[in-house]
Amino acid sequence: MIKKHTYYLVISDLIIFLIMAYFILTWGVTGGYDPMFHMGRIHTLATNIASGHFPNPIGFEYIKGLGYGVGFFYGNFFLYPFALLNTIGISRYTCYVLFILCSLIAAIVAINCAVHKLFHQDWATIISAPLYLSSYYYINVIFLRAAAGEMLAFAIVPWAFLGLFKVVNGEQHYWYLIAVTFALLLVAHVLSFLILVGTASLLAVINIPQFRKQPQILGNLCKSALLFGGLTMVFLLPFIEQYTAQKYVSTTMNPGENIYSIVSDVLYLHQIFDLRQIIALNGILILILFILAIVFNAYQIKVYHSSNRIINQASFIVLLLSIFLISPLALRALVKIFRPIVLLQVITRINIVILPLCIFIISVAVGQMINSLSNYQILPAAVLIFVLSVITVTSPIKQNIAAMQPCRAQVPDAYNISRGEYEPQDFFNYNMSHQFKVNIAFLERHEGYQVLTNNHHQATIKLKPKSSKAVIMLPRIYYRGYQVWQGTHRLPVTKRNGLVAVKLSPHFSKQPLTISYHQTLLAKIGWVISIISLGILITGHLFKHKFIR
């Protein structure tokens, strides 16, 4: 990129970032349950660190002190810097605002680098970030939902596409980038990871003829998969172990209705196509620019016999995935064919991959148009950035802020769980049957014991002499890894109503019981594999650079 264009790039990035940051800092975080959930994640991670309890995937403060295994299912990797800030006295709210601002910067850098590395067009790179951040969906993620996982996904997915497109087009040294980005996405947002895996599989199917010509492409994709597996074992093994330990609350079904929520949004439209969905997704301007870019690309192919393979494949994927956004009929058919798709809950989540691909397509087409204007390049680029930054961005931000006006007050000190996706089903049913009043005091009364200590490390209880229960429920949500000791004797752990439970002998000892969490053998194996894999990656990278030099 020439020096003058570098200045233009910095200015365009600063404009879009400062506008977004202004509204965030002025109006604050106004989203629904997501901010409280993620602020709780930051704070409970901080208190675990401050207590010297690391690593510990269980949020001690959640569910009225009974603990919630948030770290088993939501990776903490990206939250540690902000948790450390929280430990030194910075409020969880301020830490979360900093997290959002850092996510914005990361998204800008990601889309800039991906467009520049893939297409080597200065003007395409310059306009990429304003296009990316002006999406209604992206603005909704920040100002309506404040959804941390998807913010991170938008900062990672462009890198993943960079690696994928480079490898399938012959640049095999990018294979490690695929492994690293997929690993980072898994620990950032599992649903976005699954969407990206599906999209990558579709891209692989499109390139089967290319695999036959260049078998090394498939070999490098397999190497990426192996490295990805090694890097993620520290998260993946405990995830599988805990997820298979018990049933969890399902949010794929609408409460009280025997229909999947992913379909229910469009079930009552009774039509084949609903274009309102696609128009509202990223905004009318991006839709118009996308259509123009497709037409421009077709014109280039017909007149100049010039075709960009990446743009062609990206266009095909976007058009194919968009069918499920605009067609209720196609979506219902997809659910019947592939039932796990209901895990997405809302089909618009696939915009995680649609938006970056759209920006690739639009940026290249518009960049070529600007570049063809010779001495008048700066004017159309400036007008486009102005429209994107001031009009297209400001209007939906204000709409989202107005919609969340009742939530503008300071987020309270609460530890809400994220819609209960990973709350044990048995505990949820038990809690609901007691009007959601199950807490430590409730268990003390009903189970016949007194809680002597309850902290991040352990809970200690004293059994009452008159207790006649054969099995008692202890003040911890059940997860594999809990141990119960009575003096030097370890008691076998079971579960009852989603809580840790132990069976007492008829002549039980009066010694207190101690309940503490310890990493399982599978979790320890995961740590070993991931550390070894990371060491191999770093060593291989350093050796390669030294060898080349």
Side-chain angles (χ1 to χ4, degrees):
M1 181 174 283
I2 64 176
K3 191 173 183 179
K4 179 174 67 174
H5 288 173
T6 302
Y7 294 145
Y8 293 159
L9 175 64
V10 172
I11 292 170
S12 70
D13 288 348
L14 275 175
I15 289 172
I16 191 67
F17 172 75
L18 290 175
I19 290 174
M20 302 284 274
Y22 168 78
F23 283 103
I24 292 170
L25 297 174
T26 302
W27 288 89
V29 178
T30 57
Y33 61 83
D34 281 281
M36 287 187 287
F37 171 63
H38 294 300
M39 278 186 257
R41 288 176 64 199
I42 290 172
H43 186 64
T44 196
L45 186 60
T47 57
N48 272 335
I49 295 171
S51 300
H53 203 190
F54 171 85
N56 185 1
I58 296 175
F60 166 72
E61 292 88 351
Y62 282 96
I63 313 184
K64 302 173 183 177
L66 297 177
Y68 177 53
V70 59
F72 290 127
F73 309 111
Y74 292 87
N76 289 325
F77 179 79
F78 291 99
L79 294 185
Y80 275 108
F82 307 97
L84 290 172
L85 291 176
N86 191 219
T87 61
I88 62 175
I90 299 175
S91 73
R92 71 184 78 172
Y93 177 82
T94 302
C95 290
Y96 192 56
V97 170
L98 290 173
F99 169 84
I100 295 174
L101 295 177
C102 290
S103 298
L104 278 171
I105 295 171
I108 291 171
V109 172
I111 199 66
N112 283 170
C113 290
V115 171
H116 181 66
K117 292 285 187 180
L118 286 173
F119 307 107
H120 306 288
Q121 293 186 21
D122 289 4
W123 285 110
T125 305
I126 291 167
I127 64 174
S128 61
L131 280 167
Y132 199 39
L133 270 62
S134 67
S135 160
Y136 281 18
Y137 188 88
Y138 190 91
I139 292 169
N140 178 284
V141 164
I142 292 179
F143 291 97
L144 189 64
R145 295 166 50 211
E150 287 182 86
M151 287 184 217
L152 290 172
F154 278 119
I156 297 170
V157 170
W159 291 105
F161 278 131
L162 171 61
L164 285 168
F165 281 120
K166 285 289 190 180
V167 168
V168 299
N169 283 280
E171 298 188 51
Q172 303 308 310
H173 60 281
Y174 278 88
W175 67 269
Y176 71 91
L177 182 61
I178 299 175
V180 172
T181 53
F182 273 65
L184 292 175
L185 188 58
L186 177 64
V187 300
H189 195 227
V190 174
L191 290 179
S192 295
F193 167 79
L194 296 175
I195 295 168
L196 183 61
V197 168
T199 308
S201 302
L202 180 58
L203 183 63
V205 171
I206 296 172
N207 284 278
I208 287 177
Q210 190 72 8
F211 295 166
R212 291 175 179 173
K213 296 177 183 177
Q214 296 178 281
Q216 68 270 26
I217 295 176
L218 189 57
N220 279 290
L221 291 176
C222 291
K223 283 198 300 184
S224 296
L226 286 174
L227 178 58
F228 159 80
L231 292 173
T232 57
M233 282 300 127
V234 66
F235 175 78
L236 203 54
L237 289 183
F239 182 102
I240 295 171
E241 182 181 35
Q242 300 298 337
Y243 195 75
T244 56
Q246 58 189 321
K247 290 183 178 180
Y248 295 89
V249 174
S250 173
T251 56
T252 61
M253 300 286 287
N254 275 354
E257 301 179 33
N258 191 28
I259 55 175
Y260 289 102
S261 59
I262 197 169
V263 176
S264 66
D265 294 334
V266 294
L267 190 64
Y268 303 108
L269 295 178
H270 301 296
Q271 53 187 327
I272 298 176
F273 292 103
D274 177 32
L275 293 176
R276 292 172 298 176
Q277 186 84 292
I278 198 83
I279 293 172
L281 188 66
N282 288 315
I284 189 67
L285 182 59
I286 286 183
L287 178 60
I288 292 172
L289 290 174
F290 175 76
I291 294 171
L292 291 176
I294 293 293
V295 172
F296 178 80
N297 190 43
Y299 174 80
Q300 293 280 88
I301 294 172
K302 184 176 181 179
V303 176
Y304 299 105
H305 305 288
S306 173
S307 176
N308 187 307
R309 193 160 173 263
I310 294 174
I311 294 298
N312 293 339
Q313 293 183 357
S315 300
F316 175 78
I317 293 171
V318 169
L319 293 172
L320 180 62
L321 295 180
S322 296
I323 292 173
F324 303 110
L325 291 173
I326 65 175
S327 175
L329 182 64
L331 180 56
R332 289 197 292 273
L334 178 63
V335 171
K336 288 183 179 179
I337 296 170
F338 186 66
R339 189 59 59 85
I341 195 71
V342 300
L343 292 172
L344 299 184
Q345 301 170 5
V346 182
I347 193 62
T348 51
R349 286 185 188 272
I350 64 174
N351 202 47
I352 288 292
V353 295
I354 289 177
L355 179 59
L357 294 176
C358 282
I359 300 308
F360 292 167
I361 298 163
I362 296 170
S363 296
V364 170
V366 176
Q368 287 179 346
M369 293 177 191
I370 294 173
N371 197 55
S372 66
L373 296 176
S374 186
N375 297 327
Y376 301 96
Q377 294 174 351
I378 186 63
L379 181 60
V383 170
L384 178 61
I385 291 172
F386 175 81
V387 171
L388 289 170
S389 303
V390 178
I391 300 174
T392 307
V393 169
T394 302
S395 177
I397 287 177
K398 288 183 176 179
Q399 290 174 12
N400 280 306
I401 288 173
M404 297 307 297
Q405 178 68 22
C407 302
R408 192 187 171 198
Q410 179 76 22
V411 177
D413 291 339
Y415 295 91
N416 293 9
I417 62 176
S418 182
R419 298 182 67 184
E421 283 99 332
Y422 301 110
E423 183 179 2
Q425 181 72 63
D426 290 343
F427 175 75
F428 177 82
N429 295 339
Y430 180 67
N431 199 11
M432 183 171 62
S433 67
H434 291 87
Q435 293 79 47
F436 296 97
K437 295 180 180 178
V438 177
N439 54 25
I440 292 175
F442 175 93
L443 292 171
E444 284 181 314
R445 292 193 306 271
H446 285 75
E447 300 301 300
Y449 55 73
Q450 178 186 358
V451 176
L452 301 178
T453 61
N454 184 37
N455 54 45
H456 294 75
H457 294 278
Q458 65 184 33
T460 306
I461 68 169
K462 179 181 180 182
L463 300 169
K464 293 181 179 179
K466 297 182 179 180
S467 176
S468 60
K469 288 182 176 287
V471 178
I472 61 169
M473 295 182 292
L474 303 176
R476 287 290 185 270
I477 301 291
Y478 176 80
Y479 296 102
R480 286 178 177 164
Y482 272 115
Q483 296 180 9
V484 180
W485 292 81
Q486 191 170 41
T488 58
H489 178 58
R490 182 176 171 181
L491 303 180
V493 173
T494 183
K495 64 176 182 288
R496 173 171 286 190
N497 295 319
L499 292 163
V500 174
V502 291
K503 185 177 181 179
L504 300 176
S505 64
H507 305 288
F508 63 86
S509 168
K510 293 183 180 180
Q511 282 185 291
L513 300 181
T514 300
I515 310 102
S516 56
Y517 171 78
H518 302 265
Q519 284 195 60
T520 64
L521 176 61
L522 206 59
K524 293 176 182 177
I525 292 173
W527 272 99
V528 172
I529 294 174
S530 291
I531 290 172
I532 292 174
S533 300
L534 184 61
I536 292 172
L537 175 65
I538 295 172
T539 304
H541 185 71
L542 294 175
F543 177 79
K544 178 182 175 182
H545 277 268
K546 185 176 181 180
F547 180 77
I548 290 173
R549 287 176 183 176

